[in-house]
């Protein structure tokens, strides 16, 4: 079965049951493919079709979910192709956020020493490199508010731990491979915890319940322990 | 009297508050949640004269026992074939009845089914999250789990004796063992003979099931070099295959993205009755084309709506307090 390889100029449309189309822009991650996902997502936000339920942007594809009582795969595909055919300027980069993080203490940054050892850097150099990058929200997944951030500098990229650790607290700033994450819930994780953030990604604000949208960028800003009032990061409940 | 107080004498694991769910937040990692069996849940509410999505209790196969400590309230029970008892008397498992102060109600697993629903002629006092009381099990966000010893406060409690009596349980609410699905969207990671095995294999529901998903046992469906696939979006009904070839049907509290290949996606209309299967039940997949999937979904929707509309209009008693 020769299947065409998708690329950002000629995406592949894959039906998902009776109620979705997955628009695939690449077989593996590239900035161009992710930009194409964001462009189509925004175009759909500006030009929705009757029966559009929701869209889920991911690394190289966009899932378009629709109401099968109102429309069908063929009509949705035609609408998406019309949007893709428009030559529009690339979307403006997403909002830039400043996210506070405290790197001090074995309770808040339990894996910092181990990350330093494995990368051959000093702990201060690990912190400096982590602070030097601009990160981009690539997709959400795993749990509510878990925003996967691309952009970890190459010399901080480590495989995840061999086994997950239980009870990683909400607000943990952790890295694995090219990705970074600020957790919103206390969950098990095999990622390397290098700090703690007071940022409320689940904001508790009904008007804007999540701090980031996919495509937003952020930079980390170092703060002392005193800047962590509730040692939070999770739900304001 | 408009307030009622229910004391939870016993609640097993996976008993929680649910309403119509919170669709529209998957891009932020939040699945819609809501009832595992949406048809039975709607049936319970509509039999009472409630909106179909009013918050109620989802009871797992571990059962529930509660006592009305204050007030009087009419409630409806639907979903599965549970053993329902009150005042030492065994009732039908799909039924509308009224609990008065001192009455105890018990639901235990019966001849069939995994999930039952309690809907109330009352509002449940609990904090919504993103506009919904549905509980997302892994995080506890939403109305929350129901636990032994807890008190549940009901506001605006009414008695609706005109609604009393059995609720008809249609064939479509019985456990479904043939799951109609559209292959993909990551079927390209499976060899042609494995795709044929998907349609031919008789799987068994395993003990590993919860609100996130149901793992199946049977022939392995090994993926081809799929370890490197970038995380992709997931829907309720996605059939995700782990590296060792074990399929899991993702359900109400599914993760919204993930890197395991999805060999097929089960139609939404088959998931409610699939949720009522029990461990060791046999299930099989029936691949259909996207066009067939649309026709099936629309026909099943019409059938379900006809059943639910009849329930909504059946009771001679409209909500009594609503008039005054």
């Amino acid at each position: 079965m020769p299947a065409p390889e998708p690329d950002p100029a000629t995406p592949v449309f894959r039906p998902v049951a009776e109620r979705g189309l997955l628009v695939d822009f690449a077989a593996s991650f590239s900035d161009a493919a992710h930009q194409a996902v964001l462009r189509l997502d925004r175009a759909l936000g500006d030009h929705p079709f009757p029966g559009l339920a929701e869209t889920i942007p991911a690394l190289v594809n966009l899932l378009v979910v629709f109401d099968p009582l109102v429309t069908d795969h063929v009509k949705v595909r035609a609408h998406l192709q019309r949007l893709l055919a428009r030559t529009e300027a690339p979307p403006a980069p997403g909002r830039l956020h400043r996210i506070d993080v405290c790197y001090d203490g074995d309770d808040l940054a339990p894996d910092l020493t181990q990350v330093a050892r494995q990368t051959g850097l000093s702990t201060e150099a690990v912190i400096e490199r982590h602070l030097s990058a601009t990160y981009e929200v690539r997709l959400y997944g795993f749990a509510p508010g878990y925003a996967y951030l691309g952009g970890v500098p190459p010399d901080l990229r480590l495989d995840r731990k061999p086994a997950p650790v239980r009870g990683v607290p909400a607000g943990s700033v952790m890295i694995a491979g090219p990705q970074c994450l600020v957790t919103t819930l206390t969950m098990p994780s095999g990622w390397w915890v290098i700090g703690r953030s007071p940022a409320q990604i689940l904001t508790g604000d009904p008007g804007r319940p999540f701090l980031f949208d996919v495509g937003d960028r952020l930079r980390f800003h170092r703060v002392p322990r005193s800047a962590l009032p509730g040692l939070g990061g999770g739900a304001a409940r | 009297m408009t307030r009622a107080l229910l004391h939870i004498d016993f609640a097993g694991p996976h008993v929680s508050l649910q309403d119509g769910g919170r669709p529209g937040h998957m891009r932020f990692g939040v699945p819609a949640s809501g009832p595992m069996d949406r048809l039975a849940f709607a049936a319970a509410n509509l039999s009472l004269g409630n909106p179909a999505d009013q918050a109620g209790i989802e009871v797992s196969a571990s059962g529930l026992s509660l006592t009305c400590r204050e007030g009087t309230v009419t409630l409806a029970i639907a979903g599965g074939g549970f053993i329902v008892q009150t005042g030492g008397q065994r009732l039908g498992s799909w039924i509308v009845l009224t609990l008065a102060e001192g009455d105890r109600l018990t639901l235990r697993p019966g001849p069939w089914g995994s999930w039952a629903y309690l809907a109330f002629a009352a509002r449940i006092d609990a904090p919504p999250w993103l506009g919904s009381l549905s509980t997302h099990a892994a995080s506890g966000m939403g109305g929350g789990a129901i636990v032994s010893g807890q008190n549940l406060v009901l506001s605006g409690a009414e008695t609706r004796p005109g609604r009393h009596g059995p609720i008809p349980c249609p064939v479509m609410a019985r456990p479904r063992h043939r799951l109609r699905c559209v292959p993909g969207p990551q079927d390209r990671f499976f060899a042609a003979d494995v795709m044929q095995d998907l349609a031919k294999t008789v799987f068994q529901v395993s003990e590993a099931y919860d609100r996130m998903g149901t793992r199946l046992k049977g022939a392995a469906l090994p993926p081809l070099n799929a370890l490197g696939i970038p995380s992709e979006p997931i829907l309720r009904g996605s059939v995700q295959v782990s590296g060792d070839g074990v399929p899991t049907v993702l359900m109400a509290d599914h993760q919204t993205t993930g890197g395991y290949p999805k060999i097929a996606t089960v139609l939404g209309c088959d998931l409610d009755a699939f949720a009522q299967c029990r461990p060791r039940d046999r299930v099989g997949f029936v691949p259909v084309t996207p066009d067939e999937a649309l026709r099936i979904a629309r026909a099943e929707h019409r059938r379900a709506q006809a059943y639910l509309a009849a329930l909504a209009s059946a009771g001679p008693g409209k909500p009594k307090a609503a008039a005054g």
Side-chain angles (χ1 to χ4, degrees):
Chain A
M1 289 193 301
E5 278 278 293
D7 71 60
T10 53
V12 172
F13 297 84
R14 307 187 195 280
V16 183
E18 82 288 13
R19 64 190 188 285
L21 263 188
L22 185 70
V23 189
D24 222 343
F25 289 99
S28 58
F29 182 79
S30 69
D31 281 325
H34 191 58
Q35 287 304 312
V37 170
L38 297 180
R39 260 199 306 277
L40 182 60
D41 187 39
R42 286 187 190 153
L44 266 173
D46 293 340
H47 307 283
F49 56 85
L52 173 63
E54 62 184 302
T55 58
I56 308 160
L59 295 171
V60 298
N61 39 39
L62 180 73
L63 179 58
V64 180
V65 188
F66 58 83
D67 180 350
L69 303 177
V70 175
T71 188
D72 59 52
H73 304 86
V74 175
K75 286 186 193 139
V76 172
R77 179 180 173 146
H79 183 90
L80 297 177
Q81 280 173 323
R82 280 195 297 276
L83 292 181
L84 288 165
R86 295 183 184 187
T87 50
E88 282 177 26
R95 275 181 309 224
L96 182 64
H97 302 263
R98 193 187 87 162
I99 298 299
D100 290 347
V101 53
C102 174
Y103 297 95
D104 305 320
D106 284 347
D107 54 338
L108 304 185
D111 299 325
L112 192 55
T113 314
Q114 187 63 25
V115 169
R117 192 170 302 144
Q118 292 206 25
T119 56
L121 299 166
S122 67
T123 55
E124 277 305 312
V126 169
I127 293 167
E128 182 211 313
R129 277 173 175 70
H130 188 248
L131 286 167
S132 71
T134 300
Y135 299 82
E136 190 205 318
V137 180
R138 295 253 166 89
L139 81 168
Y140 277 87
F142 185 65
Y146 273 51
Y148 287 77
L149 311 172
V152 172
D155 46 4
L156 294 186
R157 294 180 185 179
L158 297 177
D159 288 341
R160 64 180 66 182
K161 297 172 187 173
V165 174
R166 305 184 81 165
V168 174
S172 293
V173 177
M174 50 190 205
I175 55 174
Q179 294 183 308
C180 179
L181 185 59
V182 183
T183 68
T184 57
L185 304 164
T186 298
M187 294 283 243
S189 178
W191 290 31
W192 304 93
V193 180
I194 60 168
R196 184 80 61 88
S197 175
Q200 300 286 323
I201 296 170
L202 305 177
T203 62
D205 170 7
R208 193 178 146 213
F210 302 90
L211 191 55
F212 316 124
D213 202 350
V214 175
D216 282 2
R217 293 165 305 137
L218 61 94
R219 291 189 62 93
F220 288 106
H221 173 74
R222 186 173 190 174
V223 296
R225 292 181 74 92
S226 57
L228 298 175
L231 295 181
R237 281 189 59 194
Chain B
M1 185 166 219
T2 61
R3 185 180 123 113
L5 186 70
L6 302 179
H7 180 261
I8 307 299
D9 304 313
F10 169 80
H14 307 305
V15 180
S16 64
L17 292 182
Q18 298 295 333
D19 61 11
R22 59 176 69 76
H25 302 287
M26 284 199 281
R27 63 188 295 116
F28 300 110
V30 182
S33 297
M36 292 289 283
D37 182 345
R38 295 161 292 191
L39 179 76
F41 177 78
N45 266 319
L46 292 170
S47 299
L48 273 179
N50 284 349
D53 58 354
Q54 188 162 316
I57 299 177
E58 178 173 87
V59 183
S60 70
S62 59
L64 174 75
S65 181
L66 57 81
T67 301
C68 183
R69 288 242 174 119
E70 262 182 64
T72 305
V73 66
T74 300
L75 58 89
I77 303 166
F82 281 60
I83 295 170
V84 177
Q85 284 179 299
T86 183
Q89 191 190 355
R90 185 168 165 179
L91 308 173
S93 50
W94 289 49
I95 193 163
V96 178
L97 64 137
T98 294
L99 284 187
E101 192 172 322
D103 288 346
R104 183 169 188 182
L105 175 72
T106 301
L107 275 78
R108 289 184 289 125
W112 64 276
S114 292
W115 305 96
Y117 296 91
L118 265 59
F120 300 94
R123 286 188 316 279
I124 297 174
D125 283 356
W129 180 52
L130 301 176
S132 164
L133 281 186
S134 281
T135 307
H136 175 260
S139 67
M141 303 290 278
I146 300 288
V147 295
S148 302
Q150 170 184 0
N151 284 317
L152 207 58
V153 178
L154 304 180
S155 303
E158 296 173 10
T159 54
R160 298 176 187 167
R163 292 276 178 180
H164 281 182
I167 303 170
C169 171
V171 172
M172 64 183 149
R174 308 278 301 192
R176 171 171 269 279
H177 305 283
R178 289 169 58 78
L179 306 180
R180 291 165 293 189
C181 63
V182 175
Q186 283 100 38
D187 47 327
R188 64 193 181 283
F189 291 105
F190 297 88
D193 59 324
V194 173
M195 291 309 294
Q196 284 167 10
D197 286 348
L198 174 73
K200 287 190 303 202
T201 302
V202 177
F203 294 93
Q204 258 192 0
V205 173
S206 77
E207 303 282 342
Y209 79 96
D210 59 18
R211 286 184 46 83
M212 284 181 74
T214 300
R215 199 185 301 160
L216 302 180
K217 287 195 285 201
L221 304 170
L224 305 164
N225 57 42
L227 283 178
I229 67 171
S231 271
E232 299 196 344
I234 291 172
L235 277 186
R236 186 171 180 158
S238 292
V239 184
Q240 168 180 287
V241 181
S242 52
D244 51 5
V246 175
T248 298
V249 183
L250 295 167
M251 300 296 281
D253 287 352
H254 64 88
Q255 295 185 7
T256 57
T257 57
Y260 292 117
K262 275 71 78 181
I263 192 170
T265 312
V266 179
L267 309 197
C269 56
D270 285 1
L271 291 173
D272 293 336
F274 168 62
Q276 294 294 358
C277 288
R278 286 182 172 176
R280 290 180 296 285
D281 278 5
R282 293 168 168 216
V283 294
F285 292 97
V286 182
V288 299
T289 67
D291 281 349
E292 287 167 337
L294 271 168
R295 277 198 296 277
I296 293 166
R298 290 170 178 176
E300 294 287 2
H301 177 79
R302 280 192 298 274
R303 283 213 303 163
Q305 286 309 305
Y307 162 70
L308 294 173
L311 291 184
S313 62
K318 294 291 170 196
K320 291 189 170 19

